[in-house]
Amino acid sequence: MHNLDLTIADISKIEGKASCKIKAKDGKVEKVKFTIAEYKRYYTQAIRGKDIVALPQLTARICGTCSNAHLLCALKAVENAIGLVPSPQTVLLRKLLNYGLIIRDHALHLYVFVLPDLYNRDSILDFDEKNPSEHKLLDDTFAVKAAGNKLGKVVGGRSVHAPFLTVGGFIKIPSHQDLFNCILDLEAIRPKVLDLIEIFTEEDETLIRKDLDFAALSDSEYSFLYGDLIRTDGSRVPADHYGDFLEHVTVPYSHASGYKFGGNVYMVGALARLNLAKDKLHNKTIKTAAKYLELFPSKNIFHNNLAQAIEILHAIDSAIEIIEKIEIKNEKPISPVRKEGIGIGVIEAPRGALYYKLEIDNSGKVRKGQIVVPTGQNQIGIEGSIRQYLTENLDRVDSKEEIEQYVERIVRAYDPCMSCASHFLKFKWV
Amino acid sequence: MKKLKVGWFSFSCCEDSTIIFTEILNDYYRIWKEKVEFVSVGVLQKRSKIKDLDVAFVEGAITSEKQEKQLLNIRAESKKLVAIGACACVGMPSTQRNLFDEATKKEIENILIRFKYAEKVKKLSEVVTVDDQVPGCPMDENAFLQIINKYLNEFNIS
């Protein structure tokens, strides 16, 4: 296509609102503007003056999709600020809640948002129930999502904005029997997830980004919640220093801040995690998914989909192991002592590293806070990936529709979350 | 066979009720398949035709004139409009900027102007007539199921 003037006003099957404007003239790409179009709700300002116990449930409302990730990250930042060390049981239950989130959230993205692209359908709801393989995929969609959802409900009281979690522990402890009942569901979806891994290995697209860096947090068990920051060169830095590498970039046409990492365009999320820490996955996952793991490290941004499918398997295996070993005690949350301090929380949300820095005053109120979300960090990379695709394919593609469809697929591969991304202003930490 | 033509729309909010809706489909999609037509549901499909809807489910608060016009159009094209979740029903937490002090309002002023925000954030009933509400943050699942069943009956969908 020689000349192109394309506006994709409302990119579908993502979380929240985004758009893209593209202009090409005489076969050259002149403009690519990827815009996060979600209006801000000003959480950076709204959290000031809030009590440390109220804050995590408030910031969970930044995003319905990633709400429990915000909850867990805010709890970590608050507890670090006041020097509260949660009990081993609390840590295990938080990991379980997060594994439920990873299963449900990745499954929503892969089955509901992405899979229709692979089958040339507009929607998972268009799958033909009379076709056995498509009927099975619909079954799998609902079963895998439901298993993750149930784990979240059992541990947190609800899979969205989990009400049982609080500073210092849980206000209600799940019964061992309820947890144990989740194992049956988790074991039942394991073969379905293996099928999903095979589909994304065989059917997905390829877009190699050679100039892309990666950043992820990982510990020895790929828990998503703890560990050091790992950089592209394999070097490790304490997670508290994550903010030192973040470089704010104003994207004037977008409602969200962009970021570079150590001066470079980078990617966070499942692909980054697998590229940098695949050897830390659960042993059973490594064994079962060995041939697929050979594809990593990868610079194909569509492998973020495959990486998410493998992470569902890891979340299943890790959750089952915790449930089999955990001995539930009816312990109360540790009461927080309100005092002045600065706390940093970094975790791996489903879409990548989530960073909280909170300054607390001596009455336990938030003086100021900074929150950096995965989609903000991926924003510049998404636009760059669209530009690269156009540069490499403009002379080959004849229809606007094909370009529009592929651009949407690139955006979906990053699994962006616009609700998260759009709610922060540039923050200058003094 | 006649189906209930529904749309699901999100304005300023965290879209938690959308997530609950997608999880409800785990159990109800096949029950509703012959009864409900999803005409415009951005989280599930690209196609969208906001015309002659039976029921529009709307989550989120209204924070710009552009959103207000979109909501008025949805209202005009829908026989019934249901507010979904806290931000749509009562405004909070999306209306929190309405409560900022003057210094904080000054701090966000440039963004409000650059992206053409409205002076204040509104709950849905401040803009359009709302026929029903499903409260909660996120919405209450059982209350939503009751509303769906109510409209299946009201529109004679068997």
Side-chain angles (χ1 to χ4, degrees):
Chain A
M1 186 169 280
H2 216 53
N3 297 314
L4 176 67
D5 190 347
L6 175 65
T7 299
I8 308 172
D10 207 351
I11 295 170
S12 64
K13 289 170 281 179
I14 53 172
E15 202 293 327
K17 305 279 189 297
S19 59
C20 190
K21 284 186 179 175
I22 297 164
K23 264 195 179 170
K25 197 175 174 187
D26 300 329
K28 286 193 174 170
V29 181
E30 287 193 334
K31 182 172 81 177
V32 177
K33 285 186 176 177
F34 172 70
T35 302
I36 293 175
E38 194 84 26
Y39 288 94
K40 291 178 189 295
R41 286 171 293 142
Y42 300 99
Y43 275 89
T44 309
Q45 288 71 27
I47 61 176
R48 293 179 200 151
K50 296 291 186 293
D51 187 83
I52 51 170
V53 173
L55 178 93
Q57 288 292 348
L58 175 62
T59 57
R61 269 69 184 178
I62 288 168
C63 176
T65 315
C66 329
S67 71
N68 287 346
H70 279 279
L71 191 56
L72 290 162
C73 196
L75 288 168
K76 194 173 177 183
V78 165
E79 289 169 357
N80 283 340
I82 60 172
L84 189 156
V85 179
S87 74
Q89 176 172 289
T90 292
V91 169
L92 286 175
L93 289 175
R94 287 178 180 173
K95 285 178 183 173
L96 272 181
L97 181 87
N98 196 59
Y99 288 133
L101 170 65
I102 293 291
I103 295 167
R104 190 213 69 203
D105 200 65
H106 284 356
L108 177 69
H109 173 239
L110 296 176
Y111 286 108
V112 178
F113 297 171
V114 185
L115 211 53
D117 290 331
L118 272 55
Y119 286 77
N120 289 318
R121 299 279 202 279
D122 179 34
S123 169
I124 188 80
L125 306 182
D126 298 334
F127 276 35
D128 182 1
E129 296 257 29
K130 291 174 187 158
N131 176 319
S133 69
E134 294 190 19
H135 184 93
K136 178 191 175 306
L137 279 172
L138 265 173
D139 283 346
D140 293 358
T141 300
F142 299 133
V144 177
K145 283 191 323 107
N149 201 46
K150 181 176 170 182
L151 185 57
K153 277 183 173 175
V154 167
V155 178
R158 195 168 52 209
S159 66
V160 176
H161 312 326
F164 293 168
L165 281 79
T166 190
V167 175
F170 281 71
I171 57 171
K172 188 176 177 192
I173 306 288
S175 77
H176 194 268
Q177 188 58 52
D178 285 346
L179 285 174
F180 204 76
N181 289 343
C182 291
I183 290 181
L184 290 176
D185 299 307
L186 295 169
E187 285 176 339
I189 63 167
R190 202 172 187 280
K192 300 176 192 298
V193 174
L194 280 171
D195 293 340
L196 188 70
I197 291 170
E198 180 67 21
I199 289 171
F200 277 102
T201 304
E202 294 299 320
E203 306 293 337
D204 214 347
E205 295 290 328
T206 300
L207 182 70
I208 307 291
R209 290 292 311 275
K210 288 179 183 162
D211 55 345
L212 204 59
D213 274 2
F214 297 93
L217 188 79
S218 185
D219 55 8
S220 60
E221 57 179 289
Y222 205 112
S223 73
F224 296 91
L225 301 184
Y226 301 97
D228 291 333
L229 161 68
I230 312 175
R231 304 176 66 192
T232 307
D233 61 6
S235 61
R236 287 178 167 268
V237 180
D240 288 0
H241 291 274
Y242 194 86
D244 300 346
F245 296 92
L246 294 172
E247 180 190 324
H248 179 273
V249 179
T250 299
V251 184
Y253 41 85
S254 177
H255 286 245
S257 296
Y259 289 89
K260 289 186 175 180
F261 193 81
N264 298 325
V265 178
Y266 69 118
M267 183 175 184
V268 295
L271 179 57
R273 290 188 290 259
L274 233 61
N275 278 347
L276 301 173
K278 67 174 182 177
D279 58 321
K280 307 300 183 204
L281 290 166
H282 194 279
N283 284 339
K284 197 173 170 187
T285 307
I286 289 176
K287 205 172 169 185
T288 312
K291 73 170 180 177
Y292 308 105
L293 288 170
E294 285 175 10
L295 295 167
F296 300 90
S298 166
K299 294 209 166 191
N300 174 10
I301 59 113
F302 283 97
H303 273 161
N304 193 48
N305 295 327
L306 175 61
Q308 285 194 347
I310 294 170
E311 284 191 342
I312 296 177
L313 195 67
H314 166 74
I316 292 168
D317 293 336
S318 302
I320 290 173
E321 184 179 333
I322 289 176
I323 295 169
E324 283 176 339
K325 289 182 178 171
I326 197 167
E327 290 177 18
I328 294 291
K329 289 180 280 187
N330 194 20
E331 60 183 28
K332 300 263 187 266
I334 299 167
S335 294
V337 176
R338 288 169 171 77
K339 59 182 179 183
E340 194 165 7
I342 292 176
I344 291 172
V346 189
I347 69 162
E348 283 289 330
R351 293 163 181 78
L354 174 61
Y355 174 86
Y356 272 56
K357 183 175 183 179
L358 302 172
E359 185 176 317
I360 312 295
D361 69 17
N362 58 12
S363 67
K365 302 282 192 294
V366 176
R367 193 176 283 140
K368 57 186 176 184
Q370 180 187 17
I371 303 171
V372 180
V373 300
T375 297
Q377 297 176 72
N378 282 338
Q379 184 175 194
I380 297 170
I382 293 172
E383 188 174 279
S385 295
I386 295 168
R387 181 178 285 276
Q388 182 181 317
Y389 158 72
L390 292 166
T391 304
E392 291 174 354
N393 293 281
L394 207 55
D395 57 350
R396 183 188 62 76
V397 181
D398 289 328
S399 85
K400 265 189 176 183
E401 289 71 26
E402 185 180 339
I403 290 173
E404 182 172 346
Q405 192 181 37
Y406 204 91
V407 167
E408 288 210 9
R409 290 186 70 168
I410 291 170
V411 175
R412 268 182 224 119
Y414 276 87
D415 189 16
C417 179
M418 310 309 171
S419 293
C420 277
S422 67
H423 302 301
F424 308 98
L425 291 170
K426 181 183 179 185
F427 187 90
K428 203 171 181 181
W429 196 266
V430 182
Chain B
M1 187 185 290
K2 186 182 171 190
K3 291 184 178 181
L4 189 70
K5 290 168 70 174
V6 307
W8 182 281
F9 306 96
S10 297
F11 289 99
S12 282
C13 64
C14 72
E15 302 197 4
D16 52 359
S17 297
T18 293
I19 300 302
I20 297 296
F21 170 65
T22 62
E23 295 310 323
I24 288 173
L25 289 179
N26 296 339
D27 296 323
Y28 285 88
Y29 170 64
R30 287 197 166 109
I31 297 169
W32 290 341
K33 200 179 168 209
E34 303 304 324
K35 299 179 177 181
V36 178
E37 181 184 353
F38 297 103
V39 179
S40 182
V41 184
V43 75
L44 296 176
Q45 60 204 34
K46 186 168 179 61
R47 63 177 177 271
S48 171
K49 194 176 174 190
I50 308 174
K51 194 159 181 62
D52 197 24
L53 298 175
D54 292 327
V55 188
F57 297 102
V58 183
E59 72 171 343
I62 303 301
T63 195
S64 70
E65 283 182 25
K66 184 181 171 188
Q67 287 185 337
E68 193 161 328
K69 281 180 188 165
Q70 289 170 333
L71 178 62
L72 287 166
N73 180 51
I74 291 166
R75 175 69 270 188
E77 294 294 343
S78 308
K79 296 180 184 73
K80 299 288 180 182
L81 188 143
V82 181
I84 296 285
C87 291
C89 294
V90 296
M92 284 296 273
S94 285
T95 50
Q96 57 199 359
R97 78 168 160 91
N98 296 348
L99 307 175
F100 287 171
D101 60 25
E102 288 308 313
T104 310
K105 282 181 180 168
K106 191 80 184 163
E107 185 185 337
I108 66 172
E109 190 177 45
N110 287 342
I111 300 285
L112 297 180
I113 293 167
R114 193 206 306 170
F115 291 107
K116 298 178 182 169
Y117 284 72
E119 192 177 337
K120 63 172 272 204
V121 190
K122 297 172 186 170
K123 60 183 177 179
L124 298 191
S125 62
E126 290 179 270
V127 181
V128 295
T129 300
V130 171
D131 298 294
D132 269 304
Q133 297 194 347
V134 182
C137 184
M139 71 170 178
D140 182 277
E141 283 185 43
N142 291 325
F144 178 73
L145 292 172
Q146 283 175 12
I147 290 284
I148 282 271
N149 288 330
K150 172 186 166 180
Y151 285 120
L152 285 171
N153 287 331
E154 203 168 307
F155 284 85
N156 295 316
I157 313 288
S158 54

